Structure formats: structure tokens, C-alpha cells
């Protein structure tokens, strides 16, 4: 039995809008003249010690620039955050290398001799709403219906004269279908897994024209059994990074940049801003002068999704050991439906629940005790009331994190990939912008953030 595969939404006639940023990304620009070289900024501030900021700082430092990284948190990594409080590593933010072939994160892992393991998303056991495994036959029938509905909705959205939400396109198709209760639940589970959890956004928010924006690297998805922060540690080596420097204001002019934190003020010739989209949308940092109107409009149009995790550590494993994932159908509304079997990767008895969109935000409002009870209620449907209580629990609350206000960006209905280009545009030769939200080619990915940092460092060097 295999789960519903990733959906490729049909937006081919909109592809002509997606102009490549290849030259910008890889810095293929004309060499500076001698006079230009002499006027290059020598002192640069990088705002944010996530992977985009660290990539930019390393690139600039390697070219002889004096670089200081300002980070508001008491740690580096940003939305890459490995916790070891359970006695073993588990990633609370980014987890995977998406597409291992020619991916720059793969290169960093190999150079650092960091172990990675493949994830087979087909290796999952799916349970019905009574807690019993779904038969291969029932799954095959349900998947055939799902595939038909998916393709019809994608075609309908493609032919529409205006952008539709994925929910709207699907509703028009579903209105013509007669489904069994289990088929309806399986379709809902598949949509949740492939869209809501994947993008951290509800179907009502996601643009059907741009849901598959960008490019992908070939190869499978790999995770870090000993923690993604190993990549971050390697990048940060020998960089000047100042922690707990929460930025409150960024002033810029033709003569330089001044960055004020809650503790002090820093001056430099230029700055690379790698703040998450959620922080830019929050207005918690003042720009002086204000950002250009088109850039602020792009920030307003782009949306920040939320993917949260709940990690439960048990004294022993009681779930099937051979599956990498567990899936659950539900009868009444959204619930915990997707679990990663961490025992499979680390030999540690832990389950990681994944949830996205408004349901992820709702979970954030519950106490750890309430979340624990909710998870156990789902698990006991399949494994009985005698399963042990968990030893420990970790709950992520990314939408409440003041240094992120979400997990990663997506394009909402009515938006456009061009907004990412606008967000990436520098202001003069003093203020530059990086981060996954600025990547048209690889948005919402670690490698997209990393490449954006390299892109802006090269842009600054060649400006």
C-alpha cells in the first residue's frame, strides 16, 4: 500500500511569467571596473543567523569583507532548530533535504561528513477512523477516485480566467461526485498531507496557479538523524555572530546603513536583510526611510504558512516498526493525521506529528497536557488503551515565534511569483534582501534560503 503521491498542479500557461533568476543567483554579472572595486562596501551587516544569513556572511567574508551577523535569538539557525532535550536530536523546524541530486545542502552534508537518511513517503500504514488498517484494495479504489478529482480540479483551475483557490477548484469537482464515507475521508487525508501540511496553509488560501511554483532538485528527500543544526554549525564557523541582538530599526541612505537593536546601534557600508517574511509582515522592525511601496505591497501579498510538530517520546515502541509513517483518517473535521516514526531513523521510541495551516495554529492554543491527550486518543484507536503514557513532549508554536511568525512562505490566491522578485530587489547599493521568501526558484526550502544568501552576497560584491 502506498499513500497518495505528491500532486503536480497544472499551471503550464502561467510559466511564461516565471522568469529565471539564474544570473542573479549565481552572480553572473560584469566584472567591476577598478573604480567600482575601490568603492565596494567593506563593512557589511547581515541581519539574521539563519541559513540565508550564514551563507551570505561566509561568501562575503571569503571575499575579504568585514562581516558582522546580528541575531535576535539566543541561538543560531533560525527556522533550523535541533532540540536535544529528549536525550537525542530531533528537528523542530526544517527536517529534510528536498531533492538530494545537485542540492547545495547535500554538498554541505558530504563535506561535513554529516549522516543523512532517505525518507520513503510511500512506506506508510494508513488507518481508518475506527483505527483499523485500510486494505490495499480499499486504498487502490480510493486513490483512483482521488487522482481523478485532483486532475479534473487542476484542469479546471488552469482553464479559469482568474486565479482560484485550490479549495474552490476542488469543490466544483467534488459537487459532481458520489463518495463513500471512507473515500471522502481518504481524499481529505490526501489533500491535507499533500497541500496543507506541505505548504503550511489551508486549501482556501493556496493559489491554484502558483501552488507548484519554482523548480525542484531530482532525487529523494533525506533527513538528518543527528540534527540539521550540524549544517548550521559548519557554516557559522569563524564568523562574527552577535546573539540576542533583536533589531528594532534599520536606517539606510546613500552613505551607509545603521541598524539599531534593543541593546546598541551598528553602522556599516551595507546590510543584507534575511528576516523571515513573517517578521517583515508583522511590522515589528522599522525601516527608515520606509520600504518602497512596491516592496511593501509584495510583503503584504505573500503569505506565511505554519507547519508545527508535536514530538512524543515513549519508554518503548508500541507501533509497527517497519513503517516510516503512520496516517489516520478522521470522521469529524481536522485532527492529528500524520506521524513520522522517529524510531525508524534514530532507534529512539518517538513519534513526530506533523500539522499545517489553521489546524496547526489552533494546536498552538492548547496546553501540552491537552495536546498529549489528543495525540493519545488518536493512537489508542489503533493500539489500545494500554499503550504507555509518553515520557516527554515537545510542541512547536512557530506562528507565535517573534523571530519568525510562521514556518515558510506561499503564494495566496491572487498573488504572483513576481512578488518574490520584488522582495529580493535591493534598495540602491546599501540594502539587500535574502531568505526563502525571496527565492522564485526554490521557495519554502532550506536550499532556497541558502542559495538566496549566496545570491545577495554576489550581488553586493558585483553591484
Amino acid at each position: 500500500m502506498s499513500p497518495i503521491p505528491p500532486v503536480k498542479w497544472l499551471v503550464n500557461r502561467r510559466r511564461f511569467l516565471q522568469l529565471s533568476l539564474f544570473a542573479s543567483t549565481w552572480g553572473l554579472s560584469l566584472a567591476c571596473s577598478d573604480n567600482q572595486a575601490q568603492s565596494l562596501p567593506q563593512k557589511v551587516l547581515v541581519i539574521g543567523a539563519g541559513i540565508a544569513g550564514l551563507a551570505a556572511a561566509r561568501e562575503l567574508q571569503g571575499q575579504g569583507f568585514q562581516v558582522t551577523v546580528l541575531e535576535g535569538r539566543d541561538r543560531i539557525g533560525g527556522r533550523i532548530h535541533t532540540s536535544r532535550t529528549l536525550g537525542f536530536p530531533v528537528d523542530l523546524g526544517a527536517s529534510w533535504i528536498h531533492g538530494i541530486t545537485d542540492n547545495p545542502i547535500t554538498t554541505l552534508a558530504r563535506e561535513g561528513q554529516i549522516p543523512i537518511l532517505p525518507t520513503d513517503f510511500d512506506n506508510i500504514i494508513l488507518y481508518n477512523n475506527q483505527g483499523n488498517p485500510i486494505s490495499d484494495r480499499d486504498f487502490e479504489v480510493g486513490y483512483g477516485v482521488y487522482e481523478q478529482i485532483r486532475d479534473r480540479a487542476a484542469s479546471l483551475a488552469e482553464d479559469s480566467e482568474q486565479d482560484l483557490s485550490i479549495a474552490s477548484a476542488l469543490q466544483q469537482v467534488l459537487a459532481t461526485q458520489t463518495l463513500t464515507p471512507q473515500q471522502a475521508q481518504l481524499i481529505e487525508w490526501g489533500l491535507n498531507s499533500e497541500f496543507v501540511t506541505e505548504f503550511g496553509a489551508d486549501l482556501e488560501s493556496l493559489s491554484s496557479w502558483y501552488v507548484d511554483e519554482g523548480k525542484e532538485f531530482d532525487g529523494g528527500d533525506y533527513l538528518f538523524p543527528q540534527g540539521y543544526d550540524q549544517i548550521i554549525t559548519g557554516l557559522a564557523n569563524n564568523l562574527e555572530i552577535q546573539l540576542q541582538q533583536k533589531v528594532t530599526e534599520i536606517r539606510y541612505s546613500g552613505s551607509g546603513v545603521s541598524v539599531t537593536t534593543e541593546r546598541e546601534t551598528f553602522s556599516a557600508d551595507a546590510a543584507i536583510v534575511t528576516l523571515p517574511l513573517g517578521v517583515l509582515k508583522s511590522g515589528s522592525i522599522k525601516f527608515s526611510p520606509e520600504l518602497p511601496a512596491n516592496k511593501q505591497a509584495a510583503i503584504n501579498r505573500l503569505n506565511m504558512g505554519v507547519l508545527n510538530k508535536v514530538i512524543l517520546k515513549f519508554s518503548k515502541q508500541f507501533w509497527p516498526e517497519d513503517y516510516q509513517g503512520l496516517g489516520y483518517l478522521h470522521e469529524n473535521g481536522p485532527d492529528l493525521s500524520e506521524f513520522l516514526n522517529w524510531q525508524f531513523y534514530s532507534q529512539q521510541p518517538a513519534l513526530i506529528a506533523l500539522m499545517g495551516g489553521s489546524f496547526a495554529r489552533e494546536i498552538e492554543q492548547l496546553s501540552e497536557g491537552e495536546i498529549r491527550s489528543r495525540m493519545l486518543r488518536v493512537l489508542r484507536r489503533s493500539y489500545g488503551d494500554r499503550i504507555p503514557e509518553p515520557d516527554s513532549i515537545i510542541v512547536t508554536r512557530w506562528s507565535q515565534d517573534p523571530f519568525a511568525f510562521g514556518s515558510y512562505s506561499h503564494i495566496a490566491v491572487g498573488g504572483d511569483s513576481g512578488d518574490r522578485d520584488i522582495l529580493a530587489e535591493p534598495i540602491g547599493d546599501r540594502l539587500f534582501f535574502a531568505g526563502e521568501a525571496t527565492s522564485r526558484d526554490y521557495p519554502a526550502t532550506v536550499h532556497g534560503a541558502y542559495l538566496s544568501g549566496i545570491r545577495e552576497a554576489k550581488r553586493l560584491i558585483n553591484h
Side-chain angles (χ1 to χ4, degrees):
M1 181 175 64
S2 62
I4 296 169
V7 174
K8 186 66 175 175
W9 208 258
L10 304 177
V11 293
N12 293 334
R13 74 186 178 95
R14 298 296 192 273
R15 288 304 187 200
F16 76 94
L17 295 173
Q18 299 190 4
L19 302 174
S20 173
L21 292 179
F22 183 82
S24 172
T25 302
W26 296 103
L28 299 181
S29 57
L30 295 175
C32 295
S33 68
D34 290 340
N35 290 335
Q36 288 175 316
Q38 291 173 3
S39 65
L40 277 175
Q42 297 303 306
K43 186 176 182 181
V44 180
L45 294 172
V46 173
I47 302 173
I51 197 162
L54 297 178
R58 286 201 70 81
E59 184 74 17
L60 289 170
Q61 186 166 287
Q63 295 296 316
F65 287 77
Q66 180 184 344
V67 184
T68 300
V69 181
L70 302 179
E71 170 57 51
R73 302 179 190 271
D74 60 1
R75 61 171 180 83
I76 61 174
R79 286 165 281 172
I80 296 176
H81 183 200
T82 305
S83 171
R84 292 177 171 78
T85 60
L86 299 180
F88 52 87
V90 61
D91 283 310
L92 307 185
S95 295
W96 283 277
I97 302 175
H98 292 295
I100 193 172
T101 304
D102 297 326
N103 193 310
I105 309 302
T106 306
T107 302
L108 294 175
R110 287 172 175 163
E111 289 175 350
Q113 298 183 320
I114 300 170
I116 56 176
L117 290 175
T119 296
D120 180 2
F121 292 107
D122 291 344
N123 184 11
I124 187 171
I125 183 169
L126 196 60
Y127 295 94
N128 64 21
N129 65 336
Q130 284 82 44
N132 300 315
I134 293 177
S135 69
D136 289 350
R137 174 60 182 165
D138 284 349
F139 180 85
E140 289 170 3
V141 172
Y143 168 69
V145 175
Y146 178 92
E147 187 176 42
Q148 181 187 49
I149 291 171
R150 178 200 68 197
D151 292 347
R152 286 182 59 193
S155 296
L156 185 153
E158 172 67 13
D159 293 337
S160 174
E161 291 302 315
Q162 64 181 27
D163 192 8
L164 301 175
S165 70
I166 291 177
S168 177
L170 285 165
Q171 285 165 2
Q172 294 182 51
V173 175
L174 288 169
T176 67
Q177 301 292 310
T178 301
L179 304 172
T180 68
Q182 181 167 284
Q183 286 174 344
Q185 291 162 18
L186 193 149
I187 289 169
E188 183 177 356
W189 180 87
L191 292 170
N192 183 77
S193 177
E194 303 299 345
F195 288 102
V196 180
T197 302
E198 179 76 14
F199 294 94
D202 295 342
L203 300 177
E204 290 77 8
S205 172
L206 290 167
S207 163
S208 59
W209 282 354
Y210 293 101
V211 70
D212 64 344
E213 61 169 334
K215 304 175 181 178
E216 296 179 353
F217 287 107
D218 292 332
D221 294 331
Y222 282 65
L223 51 70
F224 296 82
Q226 296 176 22
Y228 219 134
D229 64 348
Q230 298 170 100
I231 295 288
I232 293 297
T233 300
L235 285 174
N237 188 40
N238 291 326
L239 293 178
E240 180 191 345
I241 303 172
Q242 296 209 21
L243 300 177
Q244 296 181 300
Q245 293 282 4
K246 185 176 181 181
V247 173
T248 58
E249 184 176 11
I250 300 171
R251 303 179 67 87
Y252 60 95
S253 67
S255 59
V257 175
S258 174
V259 176
T260 301
T261 73
E262 291 181 339
R263 295 165 54 185
E264 55 192 297
T265 296
F266 298 82
S267 297
D269 299 303
I272 297 181
V273 178
T274 71
L275 297 167
L277 173 67
V279 174
L280 294 174
K281 291 179 75 69
S282 76
S284 60
I285 296 177
K286 178 183 178 182
F287 286 85
S288 183
E290 293 183 354
L291 294 175
N294 67 333
K295 188 181 289 287
Q296 188 60 57
I299 291 169
N300 295 341
R301 284 190 296 265
L302 288 166
N303 273 15
M304 193 69 168
V306 181
L307 172 63
N308 274 323
K309 301 180 182 181
V310 178
I311 301 98
L312 288 183
K313 175 190 176 183
F314 295 91
S315 58
K316 62 179 180 179
Q317 180 177 2
F318 54 82
W319 55 93
E321 62 181 19
D322 295 333
Y323 294 98
Q324 296 185 31
L326 315 173
Y328 287 88
L329 307 189
H330 296 289
E331 187 174 8
N332 298 312
D335 206 333
L336 298 159
S337 61
E338 193 168 355
F339 296 81
L340 188 67
N341 175 13
W342 197 238
Q343 171 87 31
F344 188 94
Y345 302 98
S346 69
Q347 291 73 56
Q348 299 290 343
L351 290 172
I352 302 175
L354 307 172
M355 65 216 72
S358 58
F359 180 67
R361 295 177 188 270
E362 291 170 12
I363 286 292
E364 292 188 17
Q365 307 305 316
L366 303 179
S367 68
E368 287 189 355
E370 290 171 321
I371 296 170
R372 178 191 292 109
S373 297
R374 191 161 185 163
M375 280 189 72
L376 288 175
R377 186 165 63 247
V378 172
L379 295 171
R380 283 170 176 157
R381 280 183 2 203
S382 297
Y383 309 121
D385 293 338
R386 302 179 71 176
I387 64 174
E389 289 283 333
D391 295 339
S392 305
I393 181 172
I394 298 177
V395 180
T396 69
R397 292 180 167 87
W398 283 105
S399 78
Q400 298 179 32
D401 185 327
F403 300 104
F405 290 118
S407 300
Y408 36 72
S409 63
H410 66 272
I411 294 179
V413 181
D416 190 297
S417 288
D419 286 336
R420 299 192 183 279
D421 297 343
I422 295 171
L423 184 57
E425 288 176 358
I427 301 177
D429 57 357
R430 300 298 176 179
L431 210 57
F432 300 79
F433 294 83
E436 57 83 15
T438 72
S439 174
R440 180 192 278 253
D441 287 346
Y442 305 108
T445 64
V446 173
H447 56 266
Y450 174 84
L451 288 172
S452 77
I454 302 294
R455 178 197 71 211
E456 292 311 303
K458 289 182 179 293
R459 183 168 4 216
L460 188 155
I461 293 167
N462 294 309
H463 207 279

